Amino acid sequence: MNAALESTPRADGFRMPGEHEPQQAVLMAWPERGDNWRNNAGPAQRAFTAVAAAIAEATPVTMHASASQLELARSVLPANVAVVELPCNDSWMRDIGPSFVVNEAGEIRGVDWAFNAWGGAVNGLYDDWADDDALASRVLSLRNEGRYRAPLILEGGAIHVDGEGTCITTAECLLHPGRNPGLDQSQIEGLLCDYLNVDKVIWLPRGLYNDETDGHVDNILHVVKPAEVVLTWCDDPADPVYDICRQCLATLETEKDARGREFTVHKLPMPGPLYISEEEAAGVTPSAGMERAAGERLAASYANFLITNQRVVFPLLDPAHDDQVKGKLTSLFPGREIVGVPGREIVLGGGNIHCITQQIPATGEN
């Protein structure tokens, strides 16, 4: 592993670009856990393959797989997807991979956040997360890029940045006792400013209902571009998301971004509600941390999409809303092709397309 730099991105003039900015590649990890992905991860592997194929039409994709899965991954993924052997405990690249930062000279480095399986001893989803915690360092070592080891337990899905000084997160997640109980909100905010090189952190109260990540922001909101976001929306007063999305909207309506701009908020319909079927639950190996019971509400959201070069890849989740969402995204991303990929198998594991991908920003050399 490469030694961590002793400074911070902010001190060195590096910033995390917005997802809407140009990218050189997208990283993913191959699913195989039988206690998270049903039927020995076969359906999830097909879903990940479809996502990788959709992204690779616009941006190069590298899939990381364990030694035991390497041959299978290579045999089913498209030829234009690179496959690299690298172990991980599960396959949420957004949360375990590095957050990449760039400077004006075209250099790129990575932020390696501490990882404890979404809660550690308090409410972590599995007991052994050593490979997940080491993955960012290993990726940066393979890529021969500098590494900042942040003194903060954080997953990439817990933050969105606009590339112009603003970070959006949720208090539900970052202030959860399973993350950083020794740090208060102002201390966490200071670390986000140092390691993302942002000037303002906006705290939404909560994330999506029944999200086992403790309310990751990327499952309820997405940054379209600076000062413009999409927000998951529910109009059923009996649904818990009804109050959650209104609390988020109230925050966005009273806050301004780092450059003093008011937010334009676009509402995305909530799919479903969706629930795990008996057949789906029966295919999962029981484990202590991850509950996959028939009838459990899924944390399904159309906001969990990936913006990449010339494309937005979004999850198809509900025939009643899929076309409406595609139309909305088409209007919000002129010049980008909107591509839907079946997302149910991914949400069964606890996330979606944004959660299983991590973009590497382009530099002046790309």
Side-chain angles (χ1 to χ4, degrees):
M1 295 187 188
N2 54 343
L5 299 162
E6 295 185 2
S7 55
T8 66
R10 190 178 189 91
D12 294 343
F14 284 76
R15 68 174 180 98
M16 183 177 175
E19 199 174 307
H20 58 280
E21 297 183 54
Q23 300 169 15
Q24 58 172 290
V26 170
L27 304 180
M28 297 180 65
W30 190 246
E32 61 176 290
R33 286 186 78 103
D35 61 350
N36 191 39
W37 307 104
R38 70 189 183 108
N39 301 349
N40 295 314
Q45 290 169 354
R46 291 189 286 275
F48 276 52
T49 296
V51 171
I55 297 168
E57 291 294 315
T59 307
V61 175
T62 297
M63 183 72 73
H64 301 79
S66 68
S68 64
Q69 292 283 317
L70 197 66
E71 185 176 342
L72 172 62
R74 179 65 286 164
S75 70
V76 299
L77 285 161
N80 62 347
V81 173
V83 181
V84 174
E85 181 184 338
L86 206 61
C88 45
N89 300 107
D90 205 355
S91 47
W92 305 103
M93 184 56 78
R94 177 69 50 180
D95 292 351
I96 61 179
S99 296
F100 289 92
V101 292
V102 300
N103 68 6
E104 293 299 323
E107 298 174 289
I108 186 167
R109 296 174 180 173
V111 178
D112 174 10
W113 311 99
F115 179 81
N116 71 349
W118 305 274
V122 176
N123 66 331
L125 299 187
Y126 39 80
D127 293 332
D128 179 7
W129 55 79
D131 283 331
D132 279 352
D133 189 39
L135 185 128
S137 177
R138 290 168 175 166
V139 165
L140 294 169
S141 183
L142 285 173
R143 292 177 51 81
N144 195 31
E145 290 165 345
R147 175 175 70 98
Y148 298 98
R149 176 66 170 182
L152 185 69
I153 294 171
L154 181 138
E155 308 90 36
I159 54 170
H160 266 308
V161 299
D162 66 355
E164 295 187 359
T166 308
C167 172
I168 305 177
T169 188
T170 70
E172 178 186 1
C173 180
L174 290 199
L175 302 184
H176 192 280
R179 298 304 196 285
N180 300 281
L183 301 174
D184 62 23
Q185 182 169 333
S186 64
Q187 291 171 315
I188 293 172
E189 193 165 307
L191 289 169
L192 292 175
C193 290
D194 283 342
Y195 284 87
L196 300 172
N197 198 354
V198 296
D199 301 313
K200 183 168 185 177
V201 179
I202 293 173
W203 296 81
L204 303 182
R206 293 189 284 169
L208 202 64
Y209 174 72
N210 208 35
D211 186 341
E212 63 189 3
T213 67
D214 304 313
H216 273 183
V217 72
D218 74 346
N219 214 24
I220 195 165
L221 173 143
H222 208 302
V223 175
V224 176
K225 61 185 179 182
E228 189 169 352
V229 301
V230 293
L231 178 67
T232 296
W233 197 255
C234 171
D235 281 318
D236 179 5
D239 194 300
V241 180
Y242 181 90
D243 287 334
I244 292 172
C245 63
R246 281 160 179 78
Q247 292 169 4
C248 291
L249 179 61
T251 298
L252 293 165
E253 287 178 337
T254 55
E255 290 277 9
K256 291 183 171 62
D257 73 2
R259 299 197 180 185
R261 295 170 292 205
E262 295 183 350
F263 284 95
T264 299
V265 182
H266 305 278
K267 298 171 182 177
L268 280 184
M270 185 184 72
L274 306 180
Y275 301 89
I276 300 177
S277 71
E278 289 189 12
E279 178 187 357
E280 290 164 342
V284 179
T285 304
S287 70
M290 290 178 280
E291 181 183 350
R292 300 288 181 263
E296 182 186 357
R297 171 99 174 241
L298 293 167
S301 168
Y302 286 113
N304 206 303
F305 57 80
L306 176 73
I307 309 170
T308 191
N309 302 322
Q310 291 86 50
R311 277 196 169 192
V312 172
V313 183
F314 81 102
L316 299 171
L317 294 167
D318 183 349
H321 295 297
D322 289 344
D323 289 344
Q324 177 188 355
V325 170
K326 182 173 184 177
K328 185 74 170 179
L329 295 176
T330 298
S331 68
L332 293 176
F333 293 97
R336 279 186 163 93
E337 184 181 9
I338 310 302
V339 180
V341 178
R344 184 173 178 91
E345 291 298 335
I346 310 173
V347 78
L348 284 170
N352 227 292
I353 291 171
H354 196 257
C355 304
I356 66 172
T357 56
Q358 178 62 278
Q359 72 277 359
I360 305 176
T363 65
E365 300 174 356
N366 299 122

